[in-house]
Amino acid sequence: MAAERLKDHSQESRTFTARAVIALLIVLIMLGVLVGRLYYLQVLQYDRYNTLSDNNRVQLQPVAPTRGLIYDRNGVLLADNRPSYSVTILKEEIDDLEQTLAELRKLIPLTDKEIERFRKRYHQRRRPFTSVPVRFRLSQQEIATLAVNYHQLPGVRVEAELIRYYPYGASLVHALGYVGRINERELQRVSEQNYADTHYIGKLGVEKFYEDVLHGQVGHQKVETNARGRVMRVLERTDPVPGADLTLHLDIRLQQITEKLLGDRRGAVVALDPNTGGILTLVSAPGYDPNLFVTGISNEDYSALRESDDLPLFNRAIRGRYPPGSTIKPITALAAIDGGGLTPDYRVFDPGFYQLSKNGRKYRDWKRWGHGWVDMKHALAQSCDVWFYSMAHKIGGEPLWNYLGKFGFGQVTSYDLPEASPAILPSHEWKKRTRKQGWYTGDSLNLSIGQGFMLATPLQLATSMAVIANRGRWVRPQMMKSAHRPEGAPVPLPQAKPLPEDVTLNHPEYWQEIIDGMVEVMHGERGTARRAALGAGYTIAGKTGTAQVVGIKQDEEYDAEKLAERHRDHALFVAFAPVEAPKIAVAVIVENGGGGSSTAAPVARQVMDAYLLGIDPTETEEKP
């Protein structure tokens, strides 16, 4: 029988004790590491992790400023801010974008174009936790539908924002311009910080030129958010500085009257105050509703505007380049007598045409049988082309383009109309540079009556009348009358370019000679616009004009009935009044309207009546 192995209890006790000690040491070491790590994080790294925690909990959000309002000279509101409701999506709160969009389309109508625009904005989002709009201008019914389905739409919100609203619509679009959704190209040229929460920017006209003034300064707020990024409360707030309000020289009553006077015809009217240069009315017809562009115009609406034969998107008043025709004859006559060596008594026999040589081309007068013997005063009154052909032949082209340049042609002299065109003032240098040709005598003859290469805008024509009314004193055409903030702080304005020098004549008495000739146009026995001045309670100085659209052969006679409507002559008229103390200078062009005396002059007369006498001719005409 084998001997039993006896247990060594003493050895087992020593082994157990050793193991227990080792285990205890390991536990103590691990506990020390844990306590040390806790001390490191809680004490030594407190500032760092406290900052990181705050950054996760507290966010600094921009607060967009309120855009400044725009008023007319009498305090009538022209550009307002109105609340609009949009449905938006917050990227951080959604799991499946496609499913969210599909659910939205079940609740409210969303077009494919709106979805496409949303996707573009969604992927171009500049900041985290910034909602992206899907559709604007929700109806009350749509807002209610979304509200009762919020629990099914995480990340979807209905947000209110102020958007631009133009109460007078198409009446002012070419004068004010409009704002629209800001794009990436525009973001690159503005302060990213100041436009951090801004969705709109001036696109055209006054809204674009005074963008910095109207926009204001962005504010900020510290907000506490939950783990999903939703705002729980506002901790601190620095209010934004609202944009400055603008008051324009524009008279909305006169603007609407002028628009009605043009009716369905294509054309433009610009009226200035010669004393200040303030633009009283600026109409380009037809127009379009700028409210369509604020939140984004549909493809159908934009295509209709772009493809229209009447070009409603085109601002004829400041960009339309037309042959000025006889409306510049007061200036070319001034060039002849003040800078060309002729006198106001210079007489010419008009048989109905003018020839540079005996058997050469016939430069025809508008009156087929001619005007007989005429001097400068009668040449202006009757718009005798032959007198101007003759004087241009004698003095050459240089005095003509020099004097026309002094009155603002061929350049932009306005202050706050950024889209204004300089048009074309031809000269020897211009023709050599653009046509690679020399200047011919025939070019001088055409320039003397506002035809040939010369093109001018209605704004330039009105400006030239203001300079004549002031007897050479220049004023800058501009829309803005004043800018002001609610607290009265000064408003920094964009820098203006230098004005042209005042027109100083070699013979100052010739101002009266030119003005007398223009008064004869309106009030003389044989003045071309005498019918338009009948019954006027003030003295008008004016000049009619007819601009040829298509050429006519030498032996042909102009017959409007045989031409397509868009090939007929443009009707032009320029004037200022009262002559003794001018208060308004006006230029009118009616495209394909025929004669300036029969079509454009009556419009100008009624515009002047409305401004000087307070008469609304559109109301008078409606009464039996």
Side-chain angles (χ1 to χ4, degrees):
M1 181 175 176
E4 293 184 357
R5 301 178 60 183
L6 298 177
K7 295 183 178 179
D8 187 347
H9 295 285
S10 177
Q11 180 64 33
E12 288 182 355
S13 177
R14 286 194 299 270
T15 302
F16 175 79
T17 301
R19 289 176 178 175
V21 170
I22 291 172
L24 179 61
L25 289 174
I26 292 174
V27 170
L28 290 175
I29 290 171
M30 295 298 293
L31 185 61
V33 170
L34 181 62
V35 171
R37 182 64 177 170
L38 187 63
Y39 178 81
Y40 175 79
L41 294 176
Q42 293 289 335
V43 179
L44 300 181
Q45 295 291 311
Y46 171 79
D47 291 337
R48 176 172 179 262
Y49 286 102
N50 182 60
T51 302
L52 292 175
S53 175
D54 283 343
N55 288 342
N56 287 333
R57 180 179 63 88
V58 179
Q59 295 181 17
L60 186 64
Q61 293 183 340
V63 181
T66 302
R67 193 172 183 85
L69 306 178
I70 302 178
Y71 300 88
D72 88 332
R73 65 190 296 114
N74 299 310
V76 179
L77 186 60
L78 306 180
D80 194 7
N81 298 317
R82 290 192 175 183
S84 175
Y85 294 90
S86 308
V87 57
T88 66
I89 290 179
L90 185 63
K91 183 178 182 179
E92 286 75 10
E93 292 188 5
I94 63 171
D95 298 322
D96 189 335
L97 177 62
E98 298 305 322
Q99 182 181 353
T100 301
L101 289 174
E103 292 296 325
L104 265 181
R105 298 189 84 161
K106 293 178 183 178
L107 299 175
I108 61 173
L110 292 173
T111 65
D112 292 339
K113 189 65 178 177
E114 287 171 335
I115 295 295
E116 179 184 342
R117 288 175 178 169
F118 162 75
R119 292 185 192 280
K120 186 175 181 180
R121 290 190 290 263
Y122 187 81
H123 294 298
Q124 292 178 346
R125 191 181 65 152
R126 291 172 280 166
R127 301 175 304 277
F129 297 102
T130 303
S131 57
V132 181
V134 182
R135 219 199 81 190
F136 304 94
R137 297 183 179 178
L138 299 177
S139 67
Q140 293 298 322
Q141 179 63 41
E142 290 168 338
I143 295 172
T145 301
L146 291 171
V148 298
N149 288 278
Y150 267 159
H151 63 285
Q152 299 177 358
L153 300 168
V156 175
R157 305 176 181 178
V158 173
E159 296 183 358
E161 63 177 340
L162 290 176
I163 65 171
R164 206 55 150 179
Y165 175 70
Y166 301 99
Y168 293 95
S171 295
L172 288 173
V173 63
H174 291 299
L176 294 186
Y178 60 83
V179 301
R181 299 286 301 185
I182 194 168
N183 57 43
E184 289 299 315
R185 186 181 69 255
E186 290 163 335
L187 281 172
Q188 293 174 2
R189 62 177 177 83
V190 299
S191 168
E192 183 176 352
Q193 180 180 358
N194 198 34
Y195 280 75
D197 196 41
T198 298
H199 302 299
Y200 303 94
I201 193 170
K203 299 286 186 176
L204 288 174
V206 169
E207 291 276 25
K208 178 180 179 180
F209 186 84
Y210 291 109
E211 173 61 30
D212 292 342
V213 175
L214 290 165
H215 177 261
Q217 295 294 320
V218 69
H220 296 90
Q221 63 182 11
K222 283 185 178 180
V223 297
E224 186 177 17
T225 60
N226 61 16
R228 298 185 64 86
R230 186 177 292 277
V231 175
M232 305 302 294
R233 61 179 176 141
V234 177
L235 303 177
E236 295 179 20
R237 180 181 173 92
T238 301
D239 291 329
V241 178
D245 296 336
L246 298 185
T247 298
L248 306 184
H249 287 281
L250 204 73
D251 186 326
I252 184 58
R253 172 181 171 274
L254 187 65
Q255 181 84 2
Q256 290 184 301
I257 289 173
T258 304
E259 185 183 26
K260 290 178 183 178
L261 290 172
L262 279 177
D264 296 330
R265 297 173 292 190
R266 300 178 304 278
V269 179
V270 178
L272 307 175
D273 181 346
N275 300 292
T276 63
I279 297 175
L280 304 172
T281 183
L282 190 149
V283 173
S284 174
Y288 57 96
D289 186 358
N291 294 302
L292 296 173
F293 286 82
V294 174
T295 55
I297 189 171
S298 68
N299 276 348
E300 295 77 12
D301 290 339
Y302 184 67
S303 295
L305 291 173
R306 186 181 57 189
E307 296 169 6
S308 171
D309 292 337
D310 291 334
L311 304 178
L313 295 172
F314 184 58
N315 191 339
R316 291 166 164 84
I318 63 174
R319 293 193 60 80
R321 307 194 306 174
Y322 303 94
S326 298
T327 57
I328 65 165
K329 285 180 178 177
I331 301 172
T332 57
L334 188 62
I337 61 175
D338 190 66
L342 302 182
T343 67
D345 297 329
Y346 175 68
R347 299 180 74 224
V348 169
F349 182 77
D350 173 16
F353 61 88
Y354 185 80
Q355 290 178 294
L356 294 175
S357 59
K358 186 175 181 181
N359 297 316
R361 172 187 171 181
K362 291 183 177 180
Y363 291 83
R364 296 194 176 278
D365 192 278
W366 68 268
K367 194 173 184 180
R368 191 170 182 82
W369 51 88
H371 294 88
W373 286 101
V374 292
D375 56 14
M376 186 194 74
K377 182 177 180 180
H378 292 94
L380 285 172
Q382 301 175 56
S383 199
C384 173
D385 292 333
V386 169
W387 188 92
F388 288 87
Y389 293 146
S390 177
M391 71 85 174
H393 190 188
K394 286 186 175 294
I395 71 172
E398 187 171 357
L400 298 177
W401 65 64
N402 282 343
Y403 273 74
L404 287 166
K406 292 178 180 181
F407 285 82
F409 293 101
Q411 56 188 306
V412 175
T413 60
S414 59
Y415 173 57
D416 46 12
L417 295 169
E419 292 82 30
S421 169
I424 296 175
L425 174 58
S427 65
H428 174 75
E429 292 76 13
W430 174 88
K431 192 177 180 188
K432 185 177 181 180
R433 183 179 68 252
T434 60
R435 302 299 175 100
K436 311 300 181 187
Q437 296 177 354
W439 184 268
Y440 304 122
T441 303
D443 296 328
S444 299
L445 269 59
N446 284 330
L447 181 57
S448 72
I449 64 166
Q451 293 285 170
F453 300 113
M454 184 171 181
L455 297 173
T457 66
L459 176 61
Q460 288 175 325
L461 292 173
T463 303
S464 70
M465 286 298 103
V467 177
I468 294 177
N470 292 334
R471 297 175 183 255
R473 181 177 65 86
W474 258 94
V475 290
R476 187 183 303 282
Q478 65 181 57
M479 297 291 295
M480 190 195 69
K481 185 177 182 181
S482 62
H484 46 90
R485 298 188 189 279
E487 67 278 10
V491 181
L493 298 174
Q495 186 66 34
K497 294 180 180 179
L499 268 176
E501 294 182 0
D502 289 347
V503 182
T504 303
L505 299 186
N506 299 317
H507 305 276
E509 65 274 14
Y510 285 164
W511 284 118
Q512 193 61 48
E513 296 283 353
I514 294 298
I515 293 173
D516 287 345
M518 296 177 68
V519 170
E520 195 72 12
V521 171
M522 307 302 300
H523 302 281
E525 293 182 0
R526 302 175 68 181
T528 53
R530 59 190 182 278
R531 291 184 180 180
L534 288 176
Y538 49 90
T539 306
I540 306 169
K543 187 69 193 76
T544 56
T546 303
Q548 206 172 326
V549 176
V550 295
I552 300 174
K553 294 180 181 179
Q554 279 283 297
D555 298 327
E556 286 186 0
E557 184 177 354
Y558 176 81
D559 187 350
E561 298 299 326
K562 293 181 180 179
L563 294 173
E565 190 267 342
R566 292 180 185 272
H567 290 165
R568 296 172 187 171
D569 292 344
H570 297 323
L572 299 98
F573 182 77
V574 293
F576 64 88
V579 170
E580 300 78 15
K583 295 180 180 179
I584 184 172
V586 62
V588 178
I589 180 166
V590 180
E591 289 186 6
N592 313 116
S597 59
S598 59
T599 306
V603 172
R605 163 67 190 281
Q606 291 171 307
V607 169
M608 290 186 286
D609 279 354
Y611 183 70
L612 297 174
L613 306 179
I615 298 172
D616 186 346
T618 59
E619 290 182 358
T620 305
E621 290 173 359
E622 292 174 0
K623 297 177 181 179

